[in-house]
Amino acid sequence: MRSYYLIDYESVRENGLLGISKLPAGDLVYLFYTKNSDQLKLEFLDEIKDQQTAEKIILCKANTGRQFIEMYLATILGSLIGSDSAQENRYIIVSRDCDFLGIQSYWNDQLNKNLVEISTSIEKAKLPDPFIGDKLEQVMQLRRLIQSILEKNE
């Protein structure tokens, strides 16, 4: 299982990268930023001390504008999920932006699994809380039940 971390840098800054040096081989980090991310400096590379860790980062510069990072990140997420035939990977959106909750809900409903997560840093996403996962699964089952009832009544 591979984990993909899609980081909204404008939302979480360097704090979102905490734990990057501890990622297992194969995990990838997509770092989304715009020219307004003037704080995207080499300082954030302090934790990245070796070439192996640096190779895990894919820089994704978005155009400047309203919701550009969110749209770019959602597009890349969909592309990753669509190209992953096994669909057993984890996809972690690292952001403080609540707009990603809808994206998370959509993909988890489509995949019928809790593969898309939201966190405020890589480090905090490392160990998913099983209690939260169970609750999310219960909520998704309830949503599917309600949806099927609504569809029958149409």
Side-chain angles (χ1 to χ4, degrees):
M1 177 190 284
R2 171 182 268 186
S3 293
Y4 294 94
Y5 296 85
L6 298 99
I7 299 179
D8 174 0
Y9 184 79
E10 287 188 347
S11 172
V12 294
R13 302 285 181 201
E14 292 83 8
N15 289 336
L17 295 163
L18 293 175
I20 193 169
S21 62
K22 298 174 186 166
L23 291 178
D27 284 5
L28 289 176
V29 173
Y30 287 77
L31 185 64
F32 295 86
Y33 69 100
T34 67
K35 71 176 184 178
N36 291 339
S37 304
D38 57 356
Q39 294 182 17
L40 180 60
K41 300 175 184 170
L42 293 179
E43 294 159 5
F44 89 89
L45 294 171
D46 285 346
E47 190 174 347
I48 304 167
K49 299 185 180 2
D50 57 53
Q51 184 64 26
Q52 187 177 19
T53 303
E55 289 173 356
K56 295 177 184 179
I57 299 175
I58 299 168
L59 296 176
C60 303
K61 186 174 183 180
N63 291 329
T64 303
R66 190 167 186 257
Q67 303 293 320
F68 270 59
I69 285 183
E70 288 81 357
M71 288 184 280
Y72 191 14
L73 190 151
T75 301
I76 296 296
L77 175 63
S79 176
L80 289 170
I81 291 171
S83 66
D84 179 21
S85 58
Q87 293 188 353
E88 291 298 326
N89 294 327
R90 289 175 63 211
Y91 306 92
I92 301 96
I93 298 170
V94 179
S95 180
R96 295 186 186 282
D97 191 337
C98 293
D99 292 337
F100 290 115
L101 291 171
I103 294 166
Q104 176 193 31
S105 176
Y106 170 81
W107 280 113
N108 285 341
D109 285 348
Q110 292 298 309
L111 299 169
N112 203 22
K113 296 178 184 178
N114 290 323
L115 299 180
V116 179
E117 305 166 30
I118 297 178
S119 180
T120 55
S121 73
I122 292 171
E123 188 173 61
K124 290 180 180 175
K126 287 304 294 166
L127 299 172
D129 185 337
F131 176 75
I132 292 173
D134 290 343
K135 290 294 180 192
L136 286 174
E137 183 59 35
Q138 290 172 5
V139 169
M140 287 179 57
Q141 288 174 355
L142 181 59
R143 286 183 68 198
R144 286 190 291 275
L145 176 63
I146 292 169
Q147 186 175 0
S148 69
I149 291 169
L150 291 174
E151 289 172 355
K152 288 178 185 177
N153 291 329
E154 287 181 352

